[in-house]
Amino acid sequence: MIVWKKQTTLEQLTERSKNTFIEHLGIEYLEIGDDYLKARMPVDQRTRQPAGLLHGGASVALAETLGSIAADLCVDGEKKAIVGLEINANHVRPVNDGWVTGVTRPIHVGSTTQVWEIRIYNEQDKLVCVSRLTVANIDR
């Protein structure tokens, strides 16, 4: 089932992310499906903590990016805007190099709130982080 109310392309998402935190972290959009959005982020000097591992905050930034963009695609942008209410994350596996890939899918898409699950995997497709984002759909 298609959940999107707005159509977009990977190129449009990339253009919209220029000169933002998203671009600074090196996040790249990979795929838009009927009910999911996928992107990847490098594990490098921008996203590592001092011990050399992927910073938990970088994982949360990838999760919030995916969930917020997906949520925005589910509302009429002329009438509604998306604002974050809460995000949580469980970091289950360390990563010290390469790329991590996040995939977000809806848990709930309502008229006033949305809840999105974001799963982040390493290059061996092992779960690194699972996150849940709750957003409000507010009037413009």
Side-chain angles (χ1 to χ4, degrees), residues 32 38 73-75 99 101 111 115 122:
I32 303 171
K38 183 188 289 189
L73 295 174
C74 290
V75 298
W99 292 84
T101 300
S111 60
V115 181
N122 65 16

Side-chain angles (χ1 to χ4, degrees), residues 18-32:
K18 286 196 187 241
N19 300 311
T20 70
F21 187 53
I22 299 164
E23 182 180 53
H24 174 75
L25 291 178
I27 293 172
E28 299 175 0
Y29 302 102
L30 299 175
E31 193 175 330
I32 303 171

